[in-house]
Amino acid sequence: GADVRLDPEDIEESINVKQLQSGLAYPLYYDTLFDDLREKCTDASQEAKCEGAGVWAADRTNKGLFWNPDVDQLDPVFPKLWRRIDKYVRDDTFFEPANKFGNFLPWMRQQRDERVSVPSRGLFTGFDDLIERVSDDEIRLEVEPHEMIIISV
């Protein structure tokens, strides 16, 4: 329960950065993480992404995630987006198997459960506003995961 203060050099030795460096984790930032620490995490994640390490080898977050009826068998995708898809397919008031992602954005707008900041774009918006439905079979996140900061409530 003690408070711990990390400096940027300390965080480089953390399990979080080690997982990001090897591509075993996606960056997920909350507004409680200091900017200098977030930058170190982003550097580690970007390096792994450039090398195609771990999840980045097949990641579809920004390229476009194609529908798979077995949500547990989707290509790698930002976990926050995967959790929304998983919840959506279980909502029979919105989800229609013949329409796949057709009602996903209206469903997301109804949820309005998270606010995010995208400093590089000067945005403060809902997570749902960062998702694009490319077609009934495909969606994608319009920003890179490391660009988003989730606003705490």
Side-chain angles (χ1 to χ4, degrees):
D3 287 337
V4 176
R5 170 78 170 126
L6 293 175
D7 62 43
E9 291 72 39
D10 294 332
I11 202 168
E12 289 178 357
E13 297 304 314
S14 72
I15 188 67
N16 302 70
V17 169
K18 300 284 187 208
Q19 289 177 329
L20 290 169
Q21 285 173 331
S22 60
L24 297 177
Y26 284 88
L28 175 61
Y29 307 133
Y30 284 83
D31 57 352
T32 53
L33 182 65
F34 294 109
D35 287 343
D36 56 350
L37 301 178
R38 184 171 36 86
E39 289 169 8
K40 288 289 184 179
C41 291
T42 294
D43 291 346
S45 182
Q46 287 292 84
E47 185 176 318
K49 186 174 182 176
C50 287
E51 294 172 0
V55 297
W56 298 114
D59 175 70
R60 301 300 303 177
T61 302
N62 302 110
K63 295 174 186 166
L65 177 68
F66 293 96
W67 177 257
N68 184 330
D70 185 352
V71 175
D72 292 331
Q73 298 299 315
L74 288 173
D75 289 328
V77 65
F78 186 56
K80 208 164 257 306
L81 180 56
W82 181 89
R83 285 191 297 276
R84 298 313 179 279
I85 295 166
D86 184 54
K87 195 172 174 183
Y88 163 71
V89 299
R90 298 171 195 274
D91 185 339
D92 59 9
T93 60
F94 275 86
F95 179 68
E96 300 172 16
N99 199 13
K100 299 168 182 93
F101 286 130
N103 292 326
F104 185 66
L105 290 180
W107 179 85
M108 282 291 297
R109 289 187 186 101
Q110 181 193 43
Q111 304 303 303
R112 295 299 262 191
D113 59 352
E114 283 190 297
R115 305 296 291 163
V116 298
S117 173
V118 184
S120 64
R121 297 186 184 188
L123 286 175
F124 179 77
T125 190
F127 181 63
D128 60 304
D129 291 325
L130 301 177
I131 299 169
E132 175 187 12
R133 184 172 68 91
V134 178
S135 70
D136 285 348
D137 297 310
E138 181 183 8
I139 59 171
R140 71 180 194 89
L141 194 61
E142 293 180 359
V143 299
E144 298 275 342
H146 69 268
E147 292 182 279
M148 289 186 298
I149 300 172
I150 309 300
I151 307 302
S152 304
V153 286

